[in-house]
Amino acid sequence: MIAVGDGLWLLSTPTSGYAVRLAGDATPTCAHWGPALTLDQARDLPAGRPELPVEGGAWFGVAGLQIRYGDAVRGVEWRHLDHAVEGDHLVLRMADRHYPLEISLHYRVRGEAIERWTTVTNSGAEPVTLLRCDSAAWSLPHRDGYRLSHVSGDWGREFQLRRTGLAAAETVLTSRRGHSGHHANPWLMVDDGDATEEHGEVWSVALAWSGSWRITVERDQHDRVGVSGGFGHEGLTWRLGAGESVDTPVFAGVYSPAGFGGASHRWHDYARTFLLDDRIRPVVFNSWEATEFDISQEQQLALAERAAALGVELFVMDDAWFGGRTSDRAGLGDWWPNPDRFPGGLAPLIEHVRELGMAFGLWVEPESVNPDSELYRAHPEWVLRQPNRRSTEVRNQLLLDFSRDEVAAWAHGWLDDLVRRHDISFLKWDMNRPFTEAGDEVWVPFVRNVYAIIDRLRAEHPQLAIEGCASGGGRADLGMLARTDQTWTSDNTDAAQRIAIQHGYSQLYPARTMGAWVTDSPNAITGRLTPLRFRFHVAMSGALGVGGDLLRWTPQELEEAAALVEQYKRIRPVVHGGRLDRLGLWGVQYTLGDEVVVFVWRPTTLVGGDAPVRLRGLDPDGVYRDEDTGVLHHGALLMSHGLPRPLPFDALSDLRRLKRC
Ligand code: DGJ
């Protein structure tokens, strides 16, 4: 809801309020971000920090908008033009006092989230240069303490949650890689210093952008905290020609008065309601860990038969099905079935998979090319390259310049053709290298063209689901989530290590998007031996897949796996549609109406870790029946005393299904 006062705008979500006030010099400022307010209360608030700090005047903090006019003058002096309210969308139209530059600040209330973005228009005849164009700045009210939460990591170790005191300095989270990154993720939370999962105030922001990005948190000499964020990293510039505009990506914010758990609930609801659809995420079999580059039609058919017998719903053939791709050194870019491996094309495999009752999906990596490929030989000029500079290969591949429309048209053409000619309902869209040798003008249009191709494919093929992947979770963000169905969370499928990865992922992103496979033991990356049940219990807390070499699984393992897949299908509506509560690092609870699903893990066999698991958000007067044992529990006791953790040392996990009687 949006209420308008005199130079004052109040945006209200169901539980929070956000007030914008024009300062005396027309600077748009944040007067309030926190608990819900009435317009009358908001009228008493003074102006605060700028909504989009600019260079100029006595502002010495981070400037989210940095601009140079033709005469080398910089900065903006604000002038208010007007505003427009359309439903839940507010636009404050601003301009520079002297130069022909318009800046529209957009706000949209979506559930508990407020989306913000900025449009900058050069309305003059001379070009201007942008050095930085953030989406928005967010300002926090004064509190006695502040902590910063975010994730960092690496390939195979994504989404590691970090929580530290907020330095009295500028803290920069950024990616200079052209994708959002394994090492960081474009969101952060700041709390009042001692928030927990259930209590305390938490302010959180997330950028919907899948390329390079930068978010700076500033704690200044007066202990005021602000966060400015947007696309691109430092050092990039771009020209805005006469009459041209730039729209920034959405930088959304959520205020939670109910701790980090409350923040996650709000982000999950936002993503599920406004970014994702309700389609069931099928149980996937993916061939990568089982077969890597050594694939054949017969072997894929044999895997498909085993997968179908387990209850798998979607069979996905990963890398190495096309061109001369028999290793990572060749073939990328040649998107036709490898004639030695699939002499009759893809049709025989797809038909068989369909006869087995499964849908069919394929791996693609449209943005990359191996120099040893037909595509590169035909179009060496299509790759990202800079004159007088060496080309950097990563995983023996170069990047195609997707900022060029002819390259994007080629990619859309073969993808559309592939999906049109075959019964394909799922694409795993991978991207296995960062940008190098990219000119300033490439970084943003490249990502926009990736978005445009995916958006167009989905519009043309409404049945098509897409999984976003970049060597695991290297491009998982709200921008990608808004146009895909799920994320390949990490190449690390070791269930014990996966718990921390999933814990970090769940801070912002919902379980139904968290691709999680059960693979072999010992694990291919870590060598760890784990029971099949434990591997399943970790993967069943997201969007379950199976990625092991089923041809080597014993009849007992296949039988146990089939039973677990069946059990997963029963709990899937609760896991994917319910409220997610993290019960420490080693447990998670999902609640949907009267149904509750609880996973408890103990990833090491160390003595200890026996504390009971206290559940959250139940009806204290309700009685809950354990669906497997029939035992009855009082809601009040489940929340105050918890469930015992009955884990013997050789069974490292437990799954409880409870239902209110
Ligand atoms: C990286 C992905 O994360 C893997 O799952 C797999 O698809 C490989 N690429 C294939 O090259």
Side-chain angles (χ1 to χ4, degrees), residues 288 318-319 363 395 428 430 432 469 471-472 488 491 517:
W288 174 246
D318 207 279
D319 203 343
W363 178 93
R395 206 195 189 199
K428 175 176 172 185
D430 202 351
N432 283 296
C469 172
S471 307
W488 177 228
D491 279 342
W517 306 339

Side-chain angles (χ1 to χ4, degrees), residues 278-357:
D278 278 340
R279 282 198 284 211
I280 289 176
R281 272 53 179 172
V283 179
V284 173
F285 174 84
N286 179 294
S287 64
W288 174 246
E289 269 203 48
T291 59
E292 294 208 350
F293 291 103
D294 190 13
I295 75 171
S296 70
Q297 179 170 299
E298 296 63 45
Q299 160 226 51
Q300 295 291 314
L301 285 170
L303 283 167
E305 306 230 334
R306 290 257 164 129
L310 289 188
V312 164
E313 297 158 316
L314 167 69
F315 182 87
V316 180
M317 179 157 65
D318 207 279
D319 203 343
W321 59 268
F322 53 90
R325 183 81 166 168
T326 52
S327 74
D328 65 11
R329 287 184 295 281
L332 205 49
D334 299 342
W335 297 106
W336 52 85
N338 178 311
D340 301 328
R341 295 177 164 188
F342 299 93
L346 294 175
L349 174 62
I350 297 180
E351 274 161 27
H352 194 64
V353 165
R354 300 289 295 137
E355 277 161 23
L356 289 166

